[in-house]
Amino acid sequence: MKFDLTVIIPTFQMPEHTVAALESVIAQAGAGLAITVIVVDDASSEPFVSTVAPTTHCEVRVIRHKRNRGAAAARVTGIKASTTQWIAFLDADDTFLPHTLLPRLEFAVAEQRKRPDTPLFVCGGWVEREEDSLRVRIPNPAQSLAALCSGCWYCPGSTLIVQRRWLTGQPGYPDAGLRRLEDFDWGIRLGRAGGEVAVWDGAAARIQ
């Protein structure tokens, strides 16, 4: 089975990190996974220009904001420009771990099929540096508004995969007017829409 996926990368003033993020996505495209990467340059002082060569199974698009609007607004721009059924997110200073994108998408498809009428955010774990060592964090799933109101512990900026219909319907887009706590707000709206967070039990990204 072939899957199509859009990966949205918001960026601001970090071209080298963004190239690394792009490379981590493009390396995972193949016969079973066609990827469109949408980089949204949030009005960097020097416009971001991709130096990464696209492949047969991966297209790279760059959209530039005329003024800086924040990460949430950049993600909304990317969502509106996307055309695939499934969307993933990656912050520009993070990278996807190798060979993780397709199995995460397969997991997301399977979980959504189990509950087709439930808004579902599918997240994974991540690797982060803690003092002089690396630590893997795997978030807990959530099935209630109370759980989703308790904090934003599931790192949606770099591990979230979601069907586009939940972003154009309920819970809707991230709030483009927020510059802080937009993920927390988004999770609360997911809970109010009767949604859930499902967790792929593995590390999906390295968080810088």
Side-chain angles (χ1 to χ4, degrees), residues 11 14-19 22 39-41 44-52 60-64:
T11 186
M14 50 178 63
E16 293 181 359
H17 286 298
T18 306
V19 168
L22 264 174
V39 178
V40 182
D41 180 0
S44 299
S45 56
E46 292 292 330
F48 176 76
V49 177
S50 174
T51 58
V52 182
V60 178
R61 298 171 57 192
V62 179
I63 300 173
R64 178 173 167 81

Side-chain angles (χ1 to χ4, degrees), residues 117-194:
D117 298 324
T118 300
L120 198 64
F121 280 11
V122 180
C123 296
W126 62 92
V127 177
E128 64 181 25
R129 181 164 294 281
E130 187 172 276
E131 296 180 349
D132 295 326
S133 63
L134 295 176
R135 178 173 178 177
V136 176
R137 295 183 179 272
I138 306 295
N140 293 319
Q143 294 88 27
S144 69
L145 175 59
L148 287 163
C149 284
S150 67
C152 184
W153 68 93
Y154 46 91
C155 197
S158 289
T159 75
L160 174 61
I161 294 180
V162 62
Q163 277 195 329
R164 191 176 189 276
R165 61 176 170 142
W166 303 127
L167 306 180
T168 57
Q170 292 293 330
Y173 300 117
D175 188 335
L178 294 176
R179 286 184 175 264
R180 294 186 64 252
L181 303 177
E182 66 275 9
D183 292 340
F184 187 26
D185 169 79
W186 205 15
I188 292 172
R189 286 191 285 120
L190 174 68
R192 294 185 67 180

Side-chain angles (χ1 to χ4, degrees), residues 11-103:
T11 186
F12 177 67
Q13 309 287 51
M14 50 178 63
E16 293 181 359
H17 286 298
T18 306
V19 168
L22 264 174
E23 289 174 340
S24 77
V25 176
I26 292 174
Q28 304 197 45
L33 179 60
I35 303 174
T36 300
V37 187
I38 300 178
V39 178
V40 182
D41 180 0
D42 196 26
S44 299
S45 56
E46 292 292 330
F48 176 76
V49 177
S50 174
T51 58
V52 182
T55 68
T56 304
H57 303 287
C58 188
E59 173 192 4
V60 178
R61 298 171 57 192
V62 179
I63 300 173
R64 178 173 167 81
H65 283 173
K66 292 182 180 179
R67 61 180 178 85
N68 182 266
R69 297 168 55 196
R75 292 188 185 110
V76 171
T77 295
I79 295 165
K80 290 182 175 179
S82 68
T83 59
T84 58
Q85 180 183 10
W86 289 91
I87 295 175
F89 296 89
L90 179 63
D91 285 342
D93 54 347
D94 299 334
T95 54
F96 284 153
L97 294 173
H99 312 298
T100 58
L101 193 51
L102 180 56

